[in-house]
Amino acid sequence: MYYDEAADAVLKTLNTSEETGLSSEEAEKRLEKYGKNELKEEEKTSVVKLFLSQFKSFLIIILIAAALVSAFLGEFVDAFVILFTVILAGVLGFVQEYRAEESIKLLKSLTSPEALILRDGKEVKVLSSLLVPGDILLLQAGDRIPADARLLEALSLQIDESSLTGESVPVEKSTAIFPPETPQPDRKNIAYTGTSVTYGRGKAVITATGMSTAFGKLAGLLEEIERERTPLQEKLDQFGRWLGIATLIVVAFVAILGIIEGFDPFEMFLWGVALAVAAIPEALPAVVTVGLALGVRRMVKRHALVRKLPSVETLGSTNIICTDKTGTLTQNKMTVEKVYVNGALLKVTGEGYKPTGDFFNGDKPVSEDIHLHRLLATGTLCNDAGLFENEGVWDITGDPTEGALVVAAAKEGIWKKALEEKHERKGEVPFSSERKMMTTLNSSEDGLYAYSKGAPEVILASCTKIFLGEHEEELTPERKQEILNVVNDLANQTLRVMGFAYRKVPEDILPEEAEKEMVFSGLTGMRDLPREEVKVGIATCTSAGIRTIMITGDHKTTAFAIARELGIFREGDLVLTGTELEALGDREFEEIVEKVSVYARVYPEHKLRVVEALKKKGYIVAMTGDGVNDAPALKAADMGIAMGITGTDVSKEASSMILTDDNFASIVSAVEEGRNILKNIKNFIAYGLTCHIGLVIIVLVGVLAWHTLPVIAVQILWINLITDGLPPMALSMEAPDRGLMKQKPTKAKEGLVSRKMLTASLGLGALIAIQSIWVLYESLNNGVSLPKIQTLIFTLVVISLMFNAFNWRSERYSVLSLGIFTNRSLIYAVLSTVLLQLAAVYVPIMQTAFRTVPLSLSDWAMIIPLASTTLIAMEFMKYLEWRTHR
């Protein structure tokens, strides 16, 4: 990277000149050799592949096989309906994922399109993609760095590297040579791709472009990480395998028994297919997809854009959130929080760059104070930042630290532009890392003044007086020590402390001579404040059994203080730095990984290591972040969550979900939505199992006991289609249960249906089967025709399942406690399904298709009371459970 070599040696190695740069001919040759200054994008999935990827699950394959068998047997209606539901599920999944990818394109931020360089001895602007190693780059405030470069000049140069390192404060750059062992964040003579100049100017020689940059190497690391399947995908496949095997066993059992008892083998094969149709939930993939898609639409309204549908469920299972600090937990905006003037420590309210807030001395507001006014005016005049408003949003230009001072002054009614009009700048001594202070000379009505700001100890060393009690008094050693004690106290609160001084000077003084015998006016303490809503969000996560871990490139003391303030750090937890982490072996680290709540001063490979260690322990890990440095860990995590506003293109591409408002609180909303979606999926699967279990028992007993098929294949398919269609979709719109975010996350190895839910489904399915078998028995004894018997059982099953749909609005709460009309979609779905069933029974063309006969009022008088018992029985069981656990 050339950080450990002298600038002259670097220029010689790259065969270029600081004064003239490369010639156009040489630049062309190098462009052919090194290629364009662009990152190699991950190969995009084609539209066809994206569509076909929707049909990979085991359950889908079973359904396609069932459709082919039905077509082979001449049951073309059955085959068509099965294929239709499979294709519907695929189309819904494809549309949602395609839309998400298109949304990401809109969210992508533009990289710097042009750069100012030296070519053929002239300053020219060229496309960033055409830059090559050896080009001489000219940098100034506001520029985005287009390639990695070794600095040749650094005049008060500061660069914001938060997108690469996670460091919230701009880095002061220099041209000094650094030792070979210097870690990447401390190589201050290198400017990195994707970072931006916040202050000063400089000159640099490009040393790496495209995939050879630090930015590019991170992008390359992403390609090596395989994205794992989500828990939902694994569970659906497991459920499909379990269902498929169970179906084949039952079908084989019935077919063999029938043949042994003398039935025609082909007839038994047809009955076997009917049983398979009864057992397999044809509409399940479509319903799960629709449920996820509806959840995704709700999440968009809550500022979360999901890229892959199954990822939604992962949020419901998440038990650890690894989060970056800068911009995610904090505002990424420096804010003055404390001011020390006239021997008093004032508190400053307000947040971000909005110039609204007040100054308090204890509980008393402070205004029109001459000491406060003098300090704020000093910080505003000795300042190169600006404050502006754009469509109601306040922002700054220049260095964030200087911007914070301008905002603080505006809160007191001191506006930079108006102040500078009265106090024109006549000269300045720029800030440098060696001097650690900046001074300006400004005119005023009563003469010329010098204003200085900088490191407190440096400012104090330049002062002989202090502004106290509206007078300039001697700065005694005791007073100096008192001020230094305040500096230490503020620093211990992780505030960045700055000192201020002024002096009236002669008109002919040189700026450099003004920095002596100055008057100390006070201190400010500032920091990147936590987002207001984050603390509540973390507390909610904790009560939901989700642990939050901070992983940041910032310093240990700052990270620890923020973590403790937000409730991330708990008593007995550990704080690790990247260096300490490197010193640990894999086994040692895995032994303590569950105790660490803060990782500070870490690099990309460390974040990746933390995520992988937690996953090995069996945790479902979500990783949030916005920088390039977060991308590998975002991709490796079970749920990668990128920031949509401040996030880099690389982090968005690596993520499973993007927050469109960059707000940690939106993650909590997304987790709640994910949990609710998972709850609803489980509920409508349990609801569907009741149907399929009941049908299998009915067909099995009918065939074995009376050699009769109680319902024919087309009726079974109709039951599956209408009962597994609208009601489950309506169930997927059910609101979260009370206390959902106080429950523990779903375990990764837990199946889609719990033992309790399976027992309830078996019981309800058996209840429906017993009633249907009783109807079959009584009807056969009374000489009722087979079409009438089949119509009675066909309708009884459908109506029973409509009552059953209300059972599965919640596994825990009764319909009465939830409110009968709180899910209107379910009421409409049930009414629509009942109307469809009435059509199947009474409309002539449908009677022919489903081989039904009209039912009388006396038939309905028997069907409705029997069917309602599914709801009554479940409500009674929920009541007993409530009595037991209340």
Side-chain angles (χ1 to χ4, degrees):
M1 280 292 290
Y2 304 101
Y3 63 90
D4 54 351
E5 296 180 33
D8 291 344
V10 176
L11 290 167
K12 188 175 180 181
T13 303
L14 293 170
N15 193 21
T16 187
S17 164
E18 183 177 351
E19 288 73 32
T20 61
L22 298 173
S23 66
S24 298
E25 294 79 10
E26 179 62 24
E28 284 290 333
K29 289 178 186 176
R30 295 192 185 190
L31 190 62
E32 286 183 22
K33 179 181 178 181
Y34 296 106
K36 285 192 173 185
N37 179 33
E38 296 172 337
L39 295 182
K40 185 175 72 175
E41 289 197 11
E42 190 176 330
E43 188 180 338
K44 297 291 180 187
T45 306
S46 69
V47 173
V48 175
K49 281 185 179 178
L50 188 63
F51 180 71
L52 293 177
S53 68
Q54 311 298 321
F55 303 94
K56 286 182 178 177
S57 80
F58 189 76
L59 188 59
I60 293 284
I61 293 167
I62 287 177
L63 290 174
I64 292 171
L68 293 174
V69 170
S70 298
F72 175 74
L73 296 173
E75 300 289 342
F76 295 111
V77 174
D78 297 5
F80 171 77
V81 173
I82 294 172
L83 283 177
F84 176 76
T85 55
V86 167
I87 292 168
L88 176 64
V91 168
L92 287 168
F94 165 76
V95 168
Q96 182 58 41
E97 291 184 18
Y98 181 76
R99 277 182 181 172
E101 291 301 323
E102 290 301 305
S103 298
I104 289 159
K105 289 178 185 177
L106 295 175
L107 280 170
K108 280 190 175 182
S109 57
L110 293 172
T111 53
S112 178
E114 291 185 324
L116 184 64
I117 62 167
L118 286 177
R119 279 265 174 97
D120 301 310
K122 299 175 184 176
E123 290 187 12
V124 291
K125 279 192 174 182
V126 299
L127 291 172
S128 295
S129 59
L130 302 179
L131 295 175
V132 294
D135 270 327
I136 304 298
L137 196 59
L138 303 175
L139 303 172
Q140 54 190 4
D143 286 352
R144 186 175 286 275
I145 310 296
D148 287 0
R150 168 66 157 86
L151 290 167
L152 305 173
E153 286 181 10
L155 303 175
S156 304
L157 185 66
Q158 294 182 22
I159 295 180
D160 177 6
E161 296 184 346
S162 60
S163 66
L164 187 66
T165 65
E167 181 69 65
S168 57
V169 178
V171 178
E172 295 171 12
K173 292 294 183 177
S174 76
T175 58
I177 303 169
F178 290 87
E181 65 274 10
T182 306
Q184 183 177 299
D186 297 327
R187 297 170 190 171
K188 295 184 179 180
N189 58 8
I190 300 294
Y192 295 103
T193 309
T195 60
S196 55
V197 180
T198 60
Y199 190 83
R201 54 193 174 84
K203 184 187 286 187
V205 57
I206 292 176
T207 56
T209 58
M211 294 301 288
S212 299
T213 61
F215 198 107
K217 286 172 183 174
L218 277 173
L221 181 61
L222 288 174
E223 293 181 7
E224 298 171 14
I225 301 169
E226 287 292 325
R227 199 187 297 278
E228 296 179 1
R229 288 163 61 78
T230 69
L232 181 62
Q233 289 171 319
E234 294 290 349
K235 287 172 185 176
L236 277 174
D237 267 7
Q238 184 183 24
F239 181 69
R241 284 192 292 272
W242 173 79
L243 206 58
I245 292 166
T247 300
L248 291 173
I249 291 170
V250 171
V251 167
F253 175 71
V254 172
I256 292 167
L257 263 182
I259 292 168
I260 290 171
E261 291 194 13
F263 280 91
D264 177 59
F266 184 70
E267 187 180 2
M268 288 315 302
F269 182 71
L270 287 176
W271 277 354
V273 170
L275 262 183
V277 170
I280 296 172
E282 289 85 357
L284 179 61
V287 172
V288 169
T289 306
V290 170
L292 290 172
L294 290 171
V296 165
R297 288 184 65 182
R298 289 195 298 271
M299 289 173 82
V300 167
K301 293 176 184 176
R302 300 178 83 171
H303 309 292
L305 173 68
V306 176
R307 296 184 63 194
K308 300 282 184 183
L309 280 180
S311 300
V312 177
E313 180 270 343
T314 308
L315 276 169
S317 307
T318 297
N319 43 30
I320 283 186
I321 297 176
C322 294
T323 175
D324 186 32
K325 178 182 75 69
T326 306
T328 308
L329 299 178
T330 63
Q331 300 171 27
N332 201 16
K333 296 175 180 177
M334 294 298 286
T335 307
V336 174
E337 203 173 68
K338 299 283 177 70
V339 175
Y340 178 75
V341 289
N342 196 29
L345 190 62
L346 311 182
K347 183 182 177 183
V348 189
T349 61
E351 60 178 46
Y353 295 138
K354 191 175 182 181
T356 54
D358 297 294
F359 295 79
F360 289 89
N361 186 353
D363 296 329
K364 296 179 181 177
V366 177
S367 62
E368 297 183 9
D369 181 276
I370 188 171
H371 305 89
L372 178 61
H373 188 279
R374 181 70 55 84
L375 179 140
L376 294 173
T378 300
T380 304
L381 291 170
C382 184
N383 197 313
D384 291 324
L387 176 66
F388 67 93
E389 183 185 16
N390 183 23
E391 295 181 358
V393 177
W394 289 90
D395 206 348
I396 63 159
T397 56
D399 178 71
T401 301
E402 290 197 321
L405 296 173
V406 176
V407 173
K411 290 176 182 179
E412 189 63 11
I414 302 169
W415 295 91
K416 189 170 192 284
K417 189 175 179 182
L419 193 65
E420 285 180 331
E421 286 175 359
K422 293 181 180 179
H423 301 270
E424 185 183 350
R425 186 180 293 190
K426 297 294 185 179
E428 69 177 285
V429 186
F431 180 91
S432 73
S433 54
E434 290 77 26
R435 290 171 10 86
K436 293 186 178 178
M437 69 184 293
M438 173 186 178
T439 301
T440 62
L441 298 179
N442 297 77
S443 62
S444 68
E445 291 178 358
D446 61 336
L448 190 68
Y449 277 81
Y451 296 104
S452 295
K453 74 175 192 299
E457 62 276 10
V458 176
I459 294 294
L460 281 169
S462 71
C463 294
T464 56
K465 294 182 180 181
I466 182 170
F467 189 45
L468 275 177
E470 300 185 16
H471 297 94
E472 294 177 2
E473 299 183 7
E474 184 187 352
L475 182 61
T476 62
E478 292 77 19
R479 282 173 171 166
K480 271 192 180 182
Q481 188 54 52
E482 185 182 320
I483 293 165
L484 288 172
N485 290 340
V486 174
V487 170
N488 289 331
D489 288 343
L490 293 176
N492 288 334
Q493 296 171 43
T494 69
L495 295 173
R496 190 178 188 194
V497 188
M498 190 171 286
F500 300 85
Y502 69 93
R503 175 192 171 198
K504 188 174 182 180
V505 294
E507 295 288 342
D508 59 349
I509 195 171
L510 294 171
E512 293 80 3
E513 295 176 359
E515 295 174 336
K516 58 187 178 183
E517 298 182 354
M518 302 192 82
V519 183
F520 182 79
S521 60
L523 304 166
T524 60
M526 64 182 74
R527 63 171 171 159
D528 183 9
L529 289 172
R531 289 177 180 264
E532 191 177 336
E533 64 284 348
V534 166
K535 194 169 185 177
V536 176
I538 288 170
T540 304
C541 285
T542 302
S543 67
I546 302 168
R547 188 173 164 213
T548 307
I549 295 173
M550 181 195 289
I551 308 179
T552 178
D554 220 332
H555 293 280
K556 188 173 183 176
T557 52
T558 306
F560 169 70
I562 293 286
R564 186 172 57 184
E565 182 180 345
L566 291 175
I568 292 173
F569 183 86
R570 306 166 302 179
E571 197 65 40
D573 283 356
L574 300 176
V575 180
L576 278 187
T577 64
T579 306
E580 291 167 341
L581 180 55
E582 279 183 352
L584 294 172
D586 287 343
R587 184 173 291 180
E588 289 176 292
F589 179 48
E590 285 175 21
E591 286 175 3
I592 65 164
V593 68
E594 293 172 293
K595 299 176 184 176
V596 184
S597 60
V598 180
Y599 295 88
R601 213 70 180 137
V602 295
Y603 313 137
E605 57 270 25
H606 296 148
K607 295 187 177 191
L608 191 57
R609 189 179 174 194
V610 171
V611 169
E612 289 175 343
L614 288 167
K615 286 174 71 175
K616 278 184 183 177
K617 287 283 187 177
Y619 292 102
I620 302 295
V621 182
M623 169 75 190
T624 75
D626 57 357
V628 180
N629 61 320
D630 299 319
L634 284 173
K635 189 172 182 181
D638 295 292
M639 190 73 187
I641 306 171
M643 302 295 134
I645 300 171
T646 59
T648 57
D649 294 350
V650 176
S651 67
K652 291 172 190 173
E653 289 291 345
S655 67
S656 307
M657 186 176 86
I658 297 171
L659 296 182
T660 56
D661 65 347
D662 286 15
N663 193 331
F664 184 88
S666 296
I667 299 171
V668 182
S669 300
V671 168
E672 183 181 26
E673 195 61 63
R675 285 191 172 192
N676 190 46
I677 289 167
L678 179 57
K679 176 210 78 171
N680 290 340
I681 287 173
K682 286 183 173 183
N683 284 347
F684 65 61
I685 286 176
Y687 156 81
L689 277 176
T690 303
C691 167
H692 304 298
I693 289 166
L695 281 173
V696 167
I697 296 171
I698 292 166
V699 173
L700 194 60
V701 174
V703 169
L704 295 178
W706 289 284
H707 298 218
T708 301
L709 204 59
V711 278
I712 57 174
V714 72
Q715 291 172 345
I716 291 171
L717 201 61
W718 174 256
I719 292 170
N720 285 358
L721 186 62
I722 66 168
T723 61
D724 285 0
L726 294 176
M729 288 182 192
L731 286 173
S732 71
M733 299 173 75
E734 186 67 37
D737 279 353
R738 296 188 299 275
L740 185 65
M741 288 300 284
K742 291 184 179 178
Q743 299 171 20
K744 298 298 179 188
T746 305
K747 292 179 181 177
K749 294 181 181 178
E750 188 178 308
L752 273 176
V753 182
S754 66
R755 186 176 297 177
K756 176 186 167 187
M757 295 173 85
L758 184 60
T759 303
S761 295
L762 279 167
L764 292 170
L767 178 62
I768 292 170
I770 289 166
Q771 292 172 348
S772 300
I773 290 163
W774 177 80
V775 169
L776 175 63
Y777 174 76
E778 285 295 319
S779 298
L780 287 173
N781 286 345
N782 292 321
V784 178
S785 67
L786 186 58
K788 177 70 178 284
I789 294 172
Q790 289 172 336
T791 305
L792 281 168
I793 294 173
F794 175 36
T795 305
L796 173 61
V797 170
V798 170
I799 304 302
S800 294
L801 291 170
M802 291 306 97
F803 279 105
N804 183 47
F806 290 95
N807 286 327
W808 294 106
R809 288 182 60 191
S810 171
E811 180 193 357
R812 303 168 65 195
Y813 298 106
S814 73
V815 174
L816 292 175
S817 65
L818 291 171
I820 296 171
F821 299 103
T822 50
N823 188 344
R824 294 182 184 276
S825 299
L826 182 60
I827 293 171
Y828 298 144
V830 167
L831 289 175
S832 300
T833 306
V834 170
L835 287 174
L836 286 170
Q837 182 62 22
L838 290 174
V841 173
Y842 294 108
V843 175
I845 190 169
M846 293 187 74
Q847 286 177 338
T848 304
F850 295 105
R851 299 172 203 169
T852 56
V853 295
L855 296 176
S856 64
L857 285 175
S858 60
D859 294 329
W860 283 104
M862 174 188 67
I863 287 170
I864 291 173
L866 283 175
S868 66
T869 57
T870 53
L871 177 59
I872 295 166
M874 191 69 166
E875 287 287 286
F876 181 68
M877 294 305 296
K878 286 179 182 177
Y879 171 75
L880 289 180
E881 187 180 11
W882 174 78
R883 282 289 299 256
T884 305
H885 294 102
R886 69 175 178 177

